[in-house]
Amino acid sequence: MAILLPGSASTGCYLWRATTQPVSGRGAALALPLVLIALVLADRLSADKIALRRQVRGWGAVAVVLVAATAWTGLAWQGRSGCASSPAVIGFVVCGGLAALVATHWATRLPAVSPLLGDPSKALENSSEEVLDQSALRAIFLQLTSFTESRASSRPVVVPVLAGSLAAMLLLSTVLPWRELLDPVALGPAGAEAGLIRVQLWEIPYAETWAVLLALAAVAVLCAAVARSLPVLRVLSVLAGALAVAGVLTALVQLPDQLSDGVGYRPAIGAWLALALGLLLLGLGVGARRRQLLAVLVAAAVGVGAGLLAPAAAAPAYKPVVIAGIPHRLLDLEGGQLVDRLGMRVAIGTSDPLDSVAGTLDGTPGQWLLGRTGSEGSTLFEYRDGVAFPRVTLSHGVTPPALLGVEDNKMVLLAGGAGSRPWAILAVPLTLVAADVSLSHKNPDGSYYVTPDIDVLATGQGPALTHRNADRSIVIWGGSTTWQIPADRLRAGLDLTASVVNPGPGAPGNAVSTGPDGTTAWRTSRTGLALVRPGSTPQQVTGVAPAGCQLSRDAASSSLTVDAFAVDVRGNLWLGGSAPTAVVTPDGVLRQLPGGATGVDSIEARPDGSVLLGTSPGGGDQILEITGAAGAAASYPAAAEPDARCDRRTPASGSTQYRVTVVPVVPAVDPPGKVAAGAGTQLALDGRGRLVQVRLPNAAHTWAPDGLGGVWWTVSGRGKVSNEIAVHLVGGVAKVVQDPAPGLPNQRGEYAAAAGDRLVTAISGNLYNFYGPGSQVSRVKVAGVLRPDGLVQLGSGDAAMVLGERLELVSRQGRITPLFGGASSGWPISSTEVAPSQWTTDGEWFAGPDGKLWGYDGSHLVRVEGAGRITTIAGPAQGVPQAADEVTVIGRSLFFALGNDIVRLDPK
């Protein structure tokens, strides 16, 4: 009845009433009445067998205790307020305890023996003449049997019942908490136990084997108790007791010391219960006879050995065994979670796993982890001797901070910086319990609000990204600026202007990595990467080779998509991405990491010579560590020689020399008229002839420069019939040309190209609009699939199109003349010894300063003279930038966009 009574709603704990959150232990609580009914039925069915009946009652008592204890443990330890003292739970415990006491009393009591025969003085004289009652005779026989059995076996019954009960409780102790983490970080003012984190024996990694041994020993004691084999029972009792005592004592010795702020571990109820039961089992088994003493000693030795060795099998701190540079997991990360040797699980707190793991900024030993502990909150954990200790809880909003390191007992991090949101470098004292670093509020003086005692070292406007370098510097980049800050300057009074770096074109606003020897690598564009070593000139490393080129000893001749890079302490450049992880050694050779590691999202070279790789296999973050990577890189096998069509070490030279200059900051201007400017920009000349970035209208479908400093774009016309309208902006003055043909249903421009007062736009259905001088507009249909951005308007009025894998010349009347191409991964167009059908059409095509078709393949400038005829205009030797994102022609000058830089080439 106590099970069926609903608990009060104020307790937050129900046994019968449905709840939105599951209640642990409710299933076992509802099973208790069934156990009681089954026990009564079994007792009645075994009424004629006194010995069996005693066994049924004994085991029934154990079952009732197990069910009641399991249910109450699940209800009391789940952390709900009042659950342990709910009326329903208290009634349940009382009823379960009474049932267990009654069953135990039935199993152990000795039956009272009544006189078998009446008083002789009161016996009838003619008793022999009375008919014997068969039922009475049977009852007398059963009573005599029970009396003799109870007298003969009362003493041996105590040992099996006690041993079996202890073994059952020992099994129960393995699912009770074995260690508790006192976490003042999560406590705050809530109370002394609010942040308690408990772990059962099965969740402790190094104790899994020991848990299995302990459970098997307890089960063996139970079986021996059922069989009532006293010699075997005593030996097994000693084995289980020694195993429990030695293992628990070993586990207690391994608990690390508590930190100064109170964070630390203590043994929980499961450990103390197992220790007490183990001592009882030892005492039960040691009381053996002399002939059993040898077996008891052997069992004790085996138990002590297993208890001492099994828990410590993996107890030391994680030390990977590195074989020839093969990466190993750092901090035992599994699927984005750290699992320390005491069972603590900490989820990675950032999208980049390397933003969550950091050491001390001054190089002293220490490892720190920023773990996600809520949708908008994280906790800093100190990782010491293979154990994670929580230190400071952070409230950061939807954007988690990046952990830079710990110095002077303060955590240094980069908060905010997502999109265009503000960011700040903060120093958070480790003595704080909780800190607000969300940057969501401002103080009256305009500064961002953070928890008092937090130092705001620097602020800025997003986007902002960061990584650590092997020379103990912190790099922050985003927007149009890159800062490289030495770790010892991350203190109050930090001056960001003194830390701006620009190693070469494309660097401002892009990632930069520097080694202690001065070797520097930086992004020049979205795909390009440059490297400069002390005393040498910069060299393009990636973003040059055509599609289909395999990894080779020359990095520039390999088709690499580099998602992450880092320079280590010996000047090795590590490259990671979709391709296998590789390293460029100081001799200029590309070497592949033995064992392979693909899908690398981030790389960090550490001052100790190790390299960390951040990966996401199967969707879960992991961190791989290569210890001694800087010294071992030179021993990695070199990649094969590059294929002839990919070899960039002997680039073709052109006929035109260029003067190279980096354009200063180009101002951005809005388009004329009352139009809403979008995010896209295009280089152009304003009314005074100055170079500007024109913000294109938000409604623009397509746009293209005209090669003379003007910009074309197209928008949809207004009215019942939606026609395409082309706008030509020249010197700040806009001219409008309207297509007289009605627009197609849901028509939108796809791509556009222009040359002076001519424009061609690709619209749906393989249709193209040609705008000529004046207001001429003609529509032409061309068969074939246009490659994205593979449209060029020539000064002659014709258009060049990359249709599939071929470059075609299309007239205003729709006539098609093949130029070259056809191979999906062909040879570079500078390889004149190869048939034109094998030339690749990869790259950027545009109308050159002379109005003819020009091409840029990331390395060379070429001009198409006709079908199968090309001329190499210039290459790297003539100053052509490598792996630029975009090329814009204005007059005779060419402007290459490299990241946030613009490089200008003028013919000498």
Side-chain angles (χ1 to χ4, degrees), residues 231-232 234-239 285 288-303:
V232 176
R234 293 182 185 277
V235 173
L236 292 177
S237 297
V238 171
L239 178 63
R289 300 176 183 177
R290 293 182 178 179
R291 61 184 181 182
Q292 299 171 347
L293 185 59
L294 180 60
V296 168
L297 292 177
V298 172
V302 172

Side-chain angles (χ1 to χ4, degrees), residues 506-520:
N510 284 331
V512 176
S513 181
T514 305
D517 63 347
T519 301
T520 304

Side-chain angles (χ1 to χ4, degrees), residues 358-404:
T360 52
L361 294 174
D362 58 2
T364 57
Q367 193 72 50
W368 305 81
L369 175 73
L370 190 65
R372 181 63 69 90
T373 51
S375 59
E376 297 185 358
S378 298
T379 299
L380 177 71
F381 291 83
E382 181 178 356
Y383 193 77
R384 177 184 298 183
D385 296 329
V387 180
F389 295 98
R391 300 299 302 268
V392 183
T393 297
L394 301 177
S395 175
H396 49 65
V398 296
T399 304
L403 179 61
L404 303 181

Side-chain angles (χ1 to χ4, degrees), residues 290 529 710 831 833 857:
R290 293 182 178 179
L529 193 66
S831 302
E833 71 276 5
D857 64 355

Side-chain angles (χ1 to χ4, degrees), residues 615-632:
T615 66
S616 300
D621 293 327
Q622 284 189 354
I623 297 179
L624 306 179
E625 180 185 27
I626 312 174
T627 57

Side-chain angles (χ1 to χ4, degrees), residues 701 715-725 738-739 741-747 779:
H701 297 166
V715 294
S716 297
R718 298 180 180 179
K720 296 182 180 179
V721 179
S722 178
N723 296 12
E724 183 182 69
I725 295 178
Q738 181 171 343
D739 179 10
L744 300 175
N746 301 321
Q747 172 181 322
R779 182 169 293 179

Side-chain angles (χ1 to χ4, degrees), residues 414-442:
L414 175 69
S420 59
R421 293 182 58 81
W423 56 265
I425 303 176
L426 306 176
V428 182
L430 297 181
T431 55
L432 290 178
V433 173
D436 181 4
V437 296
S438 60
L439 307 181
S440 56
H441 303 285
K442 285 190 175 182

